[in-house]
Amino acid sequence: MHTVSLSLSPNERTINPNIFGQFIEHLGTCIYGGIYDELNPLSNENHLRTDVLEKIRRLSPPTIRFPGGTVVNIYHFEDAIGPVSDKKTKKNLVWGGDLRPEFGPCEFAMFCKSVGAEPMICVNMASGTPEEAGNFVDYMNGTGNTYYSNLRRKHGFDEPFNVKYWCVGNECYAEPDIGIQNDVQIYIRDAREFIKFMKLTDPSIELILVGSDNMDGWNKPVLDQLGNFCDYLSYHFYAAHSPHPLYGTFLAEKVFQEKVREFTSLIQTYPSEPQNHNPWYRFPARKHPISLMIDEWNIWDYKDDGAYGLYMNYAWKDAVWVASMINTFINEPLISGANMAQLVNVLSPILSDGTGSYEQMIFIPLEFYRKNASGTHVCVELSGAYDIQVSDDAFIPALSCACCLNDGRKTLFIVNRDFSSSVSVRIPFDAEATVFSADPEAIANKQNASVSPSLSSLSEDSSFILPAGSICIFKEMKQ
Ligand code: AHR
């Protein structure tokens, strides 16, 4: 068995809670049947499923993104506000079926409030207009005597929703999607107009611009032209189990980490304070240095099956991957937020049907990290670590670590990605360990909902055996 030792060096960087964000889209049963289920006895007076709300509260997402995703390309907020009888159902041209309007922006904002999350709204750049996006901001945030602020009040919401995070388009580079901005110069031209209408309406909002994995062909021109307005650059990341059923997602995570390094090299060439902001824009430039928003991420084995493989049953190996990804989010200073895609039923930690709901395996690390990863960052250096050989020329490091310091106590997260061997580690402080492990292919279902953690102490020489394929958390004992 390998023996690994660790050294820790605290730094001042605060871990951004927004790395625990979630995402819901008008796609399949994510919203209707997942969160909003009007005829179900499990739903409350607002038609929200109480059993699902209870699980979402346990995840406690700081932000929730809505209404898409790709569906945003056909989404018009005015179809989904006011009395239900006035709302418009349209065809969901993107995902099939109907684009139902009952759960509109106000219901979304109230849902966010009920689970303690901040709303993050994506606007339609494909079939919408800059003016419509500005009106959407006014409807949600306006405090004046304007038509849209008054319309919100007339709809029963006197107080503005104060939506801070706004995404200017979704994956606009994707040529097959509805929309014409897949040419980066068109995206830049159009986004600039959307930004003007949105920021002139509410200068306090923060903007997430569309980023892609193409640094020179997309991200650089976007930041060259719009860098002064870009609080966050978005990047979507989906891993798959191919080419290796056990380690494919971890190989993808390596590629993700390499991309984050590329983003870091690019973004550090832009000044932290916006420069030469033309005052004639009449609204302020971005407030802080540009950072990365991973506003969609998960494992997705895309299938050409009509349902796009969106209803995934996640196994324990996927929970291990999620923990490993969260370690990466904690360790990468450029990442200031992440939204798992998606929250319920579609690529999700929570599954529901007409009779109840349950947590998938990936729920376990999301809940545990959310409760325990906060405070300031601590760098972890490993010695004696080793790589797992996945194929002739592909390797992944066996361990993934992250550490934080909160209230004078360290919490260390170690993920053993080696599914065939345990690893011995020396923990450099006195700690109590919480260990989650299971068969890599085990999945949760209604009868067998979860993996119970086991609690243990370090041995006398401060060493600990990390089981194969495990998530282990070491909490420093109070002095
Ligand atoms: O989450 C599913 C889809 O994945 C989203 O609609 C889209 O933005 C992404 O490609």
Side-chain angles (χ1 to χ4, degrees), residues 23 25 27 65 69-71 95 170-171 236 238 296 300 310 341-342 347:
F23 168 45
E25 179 170 5
L27 195 185
R65 183 171 180 257
T70 313
V71 87
W95 296 113
N170 175 75
E171 295 185 358
H236 292 179
Y238 291 97
E296 291 187 27
W300 182 1
L310 285 159
Q342 302 186 4
L347 305 171

PDB file of all heavy atoms in Angstrom, residues 23 25 27 65 69-71 95 170-171 236 238 296 300 310 341-342 347, ligand 1:
ATOM      1  N   PHE A  23     -28.754  24.497 -10.821  1.00  0.00           N
ATOM      2  CA  PHE A  23     -29.336  24.976 -12.086  1.00  0.00           C
ATOM      3  C   PHE A  23     -30.636  24.233 -12.344  1.00  0.00           C
ATOM      4  O   PHE A  23     -30.694  23.008 -12.153  1.00  0.00           O
ATOM      5  CB  PHE A  23     -28.299  24.704 -13.190  1.00  0.00           C
ATOM      6  CG  PHE A  23     -28.770  24.842 -14.607  1.00  0.00           C
ATOM      7  CD1 PHE A  23     -29.542  25.917 -15.019  1.00  0.00           C
ATOM      8  CD2 PHE A  23     -28.413  23.898 -15.568  1.00  0.00           C
ATOM      9  CE1 PHE A  23     -29.950  26.044 -16.341  1.00  0.00           C
ATOM     10  CE2 PHE A  23     -28.809  24.011 -16.890  1.00  0.00           C
ATOM     11  CZ  PHE A  23     -29.583  25.088 -17.278  1.00  0.00           C
ATOM     12  N   GLU A  25     -33.881  23.999 -15.354  1.00  0.00           N
ATOM     13  CA  GLU A  25     -34.244  24.405 -16.717  1.00  0.00           C
ATOM     14  C   GLU A  25     -35.615  23.854 -17.048  1.00  0.00           C
ATOM     15  O   GLU A  25     -36.026  22.809 -16.532  1.00  0.00           O
ATOM     16  CB  GLU A  25     -33.189  23.854 -17.709  1.00  0.00           C
ATOM     17  CG  GLU A  25     -33.501  24.203 -19.158  1.00  0.00           C
ATOM     18  CD  GLU A  25     -32.366  23.883 -20.134  1.00  0.00           C
ATOM     19  OE1 GLU A  25     -31.349  23.295 -19.702  1.00  0.00           O
ATOM     20  OE2 GLU A  25     -32.514  24.226 -21.325  1.00  0.00           O
ATOM     21  N   LEU A  27     -36.896  21.731 -18.848  1.00  0.00           N
ATOM     22  CA  LEU A  27     -36.419  20.574 -19.596  1.00  0.00           C
ATOM     23  C   LEU A  27     -36.990  19.331 -18.914  1.00  0.00           C
ATOM     24  O   LEU A  27     -36.719  19.116 -17.718  1.00  0.00           O
ATOM     25  CB  LEU A  27     -34.874  20.557 -19.537  1.00  0.00           C
ATOM     26  CG  LEU A  27     -34.067  19.694 -20.493  1.00  0.00           C
ATOM     27  CD1 LEU A  27     -32.600  19.750 -20.160  1.00  0.00           C
ATOM     28  CD2 LEU A  27     -34.536  18.290 -20.657  1.00  0.00           C
ATOM     29  N   ARG A  65     -29.614  28.800 -11.020  1.00  0.00           N
ATOM     30  CA  ARG A  65     -29.691  29.388 -12.370  1.00  0.00           C
ATOM     31  C   ARG A  65     -30.984  28.923 -13.047  1.00  0.00           C
ATOM     32  O   ARG A  65     -31.388  27.767 -12.885  1.00  0.00           O
ATOM     33  CB  ARG A  65     -28.454  28.940 -13.150  1.00  0.00           C
ATOM     34  CG  ARG A  65     -28.312  29.492 -14.548  1.00  0.00           C
ATOM     35  CD  ARG A  65     -26.924  29.117 -15.063  1.00  0.00           C
ATOM     36  NE  ARG A  65     -26.675  29.593 -16.407  1.00  0.00           N
ATOM     37  CZ  ARG A  65     -26.718  28.829 -17.492  1.00  0.00           C
ATOM     38  NH1 ARG A  65     -27.018  27.547 -17.396  1.00  0.00           N
ATOM     39  NH2 ARG A  65     -26.462  29.342 -18.670  1.00  0.00           N
ATOM     40  N   GLY A  69     -29.755  27.423 -19.693  1.00  0.00           N
ATOM     41  CA  GLY A  69     -29.779  26.330 -20.626  1.00  0.00           C
ATOM     42  C   GLY A  69     -30.311  26.716 -22.022  1.00  0.00           C
ATOM     43  O   GLY A  69     -30.663  27.846 -22.324  1.00  0.00           O
ATOM     44  N   THR A  70     -30.267  25.730 -22.862  1.00  0.00           N
ATOM     45  CA  THR A  70     -30.592  25.952 -24.271  1.00  0.00           C
ATOM     46  C   THR A  70     -32.007  26.494 -24.445  1.00  0.00           C
ATOM     47  O   THR A  70     -32.283  27.243 -25.383  1.00  0.00           O
ATOM     48  CB  THR A  70     -30.417  24.634 -25.047  1.00  0.00           C
ATOM     49  OG1 THR A  70     -29.170  24.067 -24.679  1.00  0.00           O
ATOM     50  CG2 THR A  70     -30.419  24.859 -26.539  1.00  0.00           C
ATOM     51  N   VAL A  71     -32.914  26.127 -23.515  1.00  0.00           N
ATOM     52  CA  VAL A  71     -34.307  26.558 -23.688  1.00  0.00           C
ATOM     53  C   VAL A  71     -34.433  28.076 -23.618  1.00  0.00           C
ATOM     54  O   VAL A  71     -35.415  28.649 -24.097  1.00  0.00           O
ATOM     55  CB  VAL A  71     -35.218  25.866 -22.638  1.00  0.00           C
ATOM     56  CG1 VAL A  71     -35.275  26.633 -21.322  1.00  0.00           C
ATOM     57  CG2 VAL A  71     -36.623  25.663 -23.186  1.00  0.00           C
ATOM     58  N   TRP A  95     -36.537  21.165 -26.342  1.00  0.00           N
ATOM     59  CA  TRP A  95     -36.480  19.854 -25.694  1.00  0.00           C
ATOM     60  C   TRP A  95     -37.712  18.997 -25.941  1.00  0.00           C
ATOM     61  O   TRP A  95     -37.812  17.883 -25.420  1.00  0.00           O
ATOM     62  CB  TRP A  95     -36.287  20.030 -24.180  1.00  0.00           C
ATOM     63  CG  TRP A  95     -34.984  20.682 -23.818  1.00  0.00           C
ATOM     64  CD1 TRP A  95     -34.825  21.911 -23.250  1.00  0.00           C
ATOM     65  CD2 TRP A  95     -33.668  20.152 -24.004  1.00  0.00           C
ATOM     66  NE1 TRP A  95     -33.491  22.178 -23.060  1.00  0.00           N
ATOM     67  CE2 TRP A  95     -32.758  21.113 -23.519  1.00  0.00           C
ATOM     68  CE3 TRP A  95     -33.155  18.958 -24.540  1.00  0.00           C
ATOM     69  CZ2 TRP A  95     -31.373  20.925 -23.548  1.00  0.00           C
ATOM     70  CZ3 TRP A  95     -31.782  18.781 -24.560  1.00  0.00           C
ATOM     71  CH2 TRP A  95     -30.911  19.746 -24.070  1.00  0.00           C
ATOM     72  N   ASN A 170     -26.707  31.920 -23.475  1.00  0.00           N
ATOM     73  CA  ASN A 170     -26.283  30.583 -23.054  1.00  0.00           C
ATOM     74  C   ASN A 170     -25.638  29.868 -24.233  1.00  0.00           C
ATOM     75  O   ASN A 170     -26.269  29.743 -25.299  1.00  0.00           O
ATOM     76  CB  ASN A 170     -27.506  29.772 -22.593  1.00  0.00           C
ATOM     77  CG  ASN A 170     -27.167  28.328 -22.250  1.00  0.00           C
ATOM     78  OD1 ASN A 170     -26.585  28.043 -21.216  1.00  0.00           O
ATOM     79  ND2 ASN A 170     -27.512  27.395 -23.153  1.00  0.00           N
ATOM     80  N   GLU A 171     -24.423  29.406 -24.069  1.00  0.00           N
ATOM     81  CA  GLU A 171     -23.721  28.606 -25.089  1.00  0.00           C
ATOM     82  C   GLU A 171     -23.958  29.154 -26.501  1.00  0.00           C
ATOM     83  O   GLU A 171     -24.251  28.405 -27.434  1.00  0.00           O
ATOM     84  CB  GLU A 171     -24.165  27.128 -25.020  1.00  0.00           C
ATOM     85  CG  GLU A 171     -23.773  26.465 -23.717  1.00  0.00           C
ATOM     86  CD  GLU A 171     -24.082  24.967 -23.667  1.00  0.00           C
ATOM     87  OE1 GLU A 171     -24.653  24.417 -24.632  1.00  0.00           O
ATOM     88  OE2 GLU A 171     -23.754  24.344 -22.634  1.00  0.00           O
ATOM     89  N   HIS A 236     -19.024  25.812 -19.460  1.00  0.00           N
ATOM     90  CA  HIS A 236     -19.834  24.623 -19.173  1.00  0.00           C
ATOM     91  C   HIS A 236     -18.986  23.373 -19.345  1.00  0.00           C
ATOM     92  O   HIS A 236     -18.250  23.254 -20.332  1.00  0.00           O
ATOM     93  CB  HIS A 236     -21.038  24.548 -20.129  1.00  0.00           C
ATOM     94  CG  HIS A 236     -22.039  25.649 -19.879  1.00  0.00           C
ATOM     95  ND1 HIS A 236     -23.183  25.804 -20.618  1.00  0.00           N
ATOM     96  CD2 HIS A 236     -22.050  26.634 -18.941  1.00  0.00           C
ATOM     97  CE1 HIS A 236     -23.863  26.840 -20.149  1.00  0.00           C
ATOM     98  NE2 HIS A 236     -23.182  27.359 -19.141  1.00  0.00           N
ATOM     99  N   TYR A 238     -19.189  19.124 -19.065  1.00  0.00           N
ATOM    100  CA  TYR A 238     -19.831  17.827 -18.845  1.00  0.00           C
ATOM    101  C   TYR A 238     -18.802  16.728 -19.099  1.00  0.00           C
ATOM    102  O   TYR A 238     -18.180  16.694 -20.160  1.00  0.00           O
ATOM    103  CB  TYR A 238     -21.022  17.634 -19.794  1.00  0.00           C
ATOM    104  CG  TYR A 238     -22.193  18.559 -19.464  1.00  0.00           C
ATOM    105  CD1 TYR A 238     -22.372  19.754 -20.154  1.00  0.00           C
ATOM    106  CD2 TYR A 238     -23.086  18.239 -18.454  1.00  0.00           C
ATOM    107  CE1 TYR A 238     -23.434  20.608 -19.845  1.00  0.00           C
ATOM    108  CE2 TYR A 238     -24.154  19.081 -18.139  1.00  0.00           C
ATOM    109  CZ  TYR A 238     -24.312  20.260 -18.837  1.00  0.00           C
ATOM    110  OH  TYR A 238     -25.361  21.091 -18.523  1.00  0.00           O
ATOM    111  N   GLU A 296     -22.628  25.405 -15.580  1.00  0.00           N
ATOM    112  CA  GLU A 296     -23.217  24.071 -15.810  1.00  0.00           C
ATOM    113  C   GLU A 296     -22.071  23.076 -15.679  1.00  0.00           C
ATOM    114  O   GLU A 296     -21.033  23.254 -16.334  1.00  0.00           O
ATOM    115  CB  GLU A 296     -23.834  23.946 -17.205  1.00  0.00           C
ATOM    116  CG  GLU A 296     -25.073  24.784 -17.390  1.00  0.00           C
ATOM    117  CD  GLU A 296     -25.778  24.520 -18.728  1.00  0.00           C
ATOM    118  OE1 GLU A 296     -25.651  23.404 -19.287  1.00  0.00           O
ATOM    119  OE2 GLU A 296     -26.442  25.455 -19.213  1.00  0.00           O
ATOM    120  N   TRP A 300     -22.507  13.527 -17.932  1.00  0.00           N
ATOM    121  CA  TRP A 300     -23.614  13.360 -18.878  1.00  0.00           C
ATOM    122  C   TRP A 300     -23.160  12.386 -19.964  1.00  0.00           C
ATOM    123  O   TRP A 300     -22.310  12.732 -20.773  1.00  0.00           O
ATOM    124  CB  TRP A 300     -23.982  14.718 -19.477  1.00  0.00           C
ATOM    125  CG  TRP A 300     -25.147  14.714 -20.428  1.00  0.00           C
ATOM    126  CD1 TRP A 300     -25.931  13.661 -20.804  1.00  0.00           C
ATOM    127  CD2 TRP A 300     -25.663  15.859 -21.132  1.00  0.00           C
ATOM    128  NE1 TRP A 300     -26.890  14.071 -21.673  1.00  0.00           N
ATOM    129  CE2 TRP A 300     -26.759  15.418 -21.888  1.00  0.00           C
ATOM    130  CE3 TRP A 300     -25.306  17.208 -21.191  1.00  0.00           C
ATOM    131  CZ2 TRP A 300     -27.500  16.281 -22.714  1.00  0.00           C
ATOM    132  CZ3 TRP A 300     -26.037  18.060 -21.996  1.00  0.00           C
ATOM    133  CH2 TRP A 300     -27.129  17.600 -22.739  1.00  0.00           C
ATOM    134  N   LEU A 310     -30.527  12.228 -20.663  1.00  0.00           N
ATOM    135  CA  LEU A 310     -30.537  13.228 -19.588  1.00  0.00           C
ATOM    136  C   LEU A 310     -30.962  12.684 -18.234  1.00  0.00           C
ATOM    137  O   LEU A 310     -30.772  13.338 -17.218  1.00  0.00           O
ATOM    138  CB  LEU A 310     -31.464  14.394 -19.965  1.00  0.00           C
ATOM    139  CG  LEU A 310     -30.894  15.361 -21.010  1.00  0.00           C
ATOM    140  CD1 LEU A 310     -32.004  16.145 -21.692  1.00  0.00           C
ATOM    141  CD2 LEU A 310     -29.905  16.318 -20.368  1.00  0.00           C
ATOM    142  N   ALA A 341     -25.506  20.997 -13.061  1.00  0.00           N
ATOM    143  CA  ALA A 341     -26.624  20.829 -13.993  1.00  0.00           C
ATOM    144  C   ALA A 341     -27.077  19.370 -13.880  1.00  0.00           C
ATOM    145  O   ALA A 341     -26.283  18.508 -14.181  1.00  0.00           O
ATOM    146  CB  ALA A 341     -26.176  21.132 -15.416  1.00  0.00           C
ATOM    147  N   GLN A 342     -28.307  19.251 -13.460  1.00  0.00           N
ATOM    148  CA  GLN A 342     -29.305  20.174 -12.968  1.00  0.00           C
ATOM    149  C   GLN A 342     -29.790  19.649 -11.622  1.00  0.00           C
ATOM    150  O   GLN A 342     -29.364  18.567 -11.219  1.00  0.00           O
ATOM    151  CB  GLN A 342     -30.444  20.301 -13.974  1.00  0.00           C
ATOM    152  CG  GLN A 342     -29.960  20.774 -15.352  1.00  0.00           C
ATOM    153  CD  GLN A 342     -31.077  21.063 -16.348  1.00  0.00           C
ATOM    154  OE1 GLN A 342     -32.258  20.999 -16.057  1.00  0.00           O
ATOM    155  NE2 GLN A 342     -30.686  21.399 -17.575  1.00  0.00           N
ATOM    156  N   LEU A 347     -30.152  15.009 -15.055  1.00  0.00           N
ATOM    157  CA  LEU A 347     -28.728  15.075 -14.668  1.00  0.00           C
ATOM    158  C   LEU A 347     -28.600  15.564 -13.220  1.00  0.00           C
ATOM    159  O   LEU A 347     -27.907  16.544 -12.948  1.00  0.00           O
ATOM    160  CB  LEU A 347     -27.969  16.053 -15.586  1.00  0.00           C
ATOM    161  CG  LEU A 347     -28.025  15.842 -17.093  1.00  0.00           C
ATOM    162  CD1 LEU A 347     -27.400  17.017 -17.820  1.00  0.00           C
ATOM    163  CD2 LEU A 347     -27.329  14.558 -17.490  1.00  0.00           C
TER     164      LEU A 347
HETATM  165  O1  AHR B   1     -28.086  20.859 -18.993  1.00  0.00           O
HETATM  166  C1  AHR B   1     -28.520  20.421 -20.245  1.00  0.00           C
HETATM  167  C2  AHR B   1     -28.065  21.331 -21.395  1.00  0.00           C
HETATM  168  O2  AHR B   1     -26.679  21.266 -21.481  1.00  0.00           O
HETATM  169  C3  AHR B   1     -28.332  22.809 -21.266  1.00  0.00           C
HETATM  170  O3  AHR B   1     -29.604  23.152 -21.690  1.00  0.00           O
HETATM  171  C4  AHR B   1     -27.309  23.406 -22.163  1.00  0.00           C
HETATM  172  O4  AHR B   1     -26.938  24.717 -21.782  1.00  0.00           O
HETATM  173  C5  AHR B   1     -26.161  22.434 -22.097  1.00  0.00           C
HETATM  174  O5  AHR B   1     -25.665  22.118 -23.331  1.00  0.00           O
END
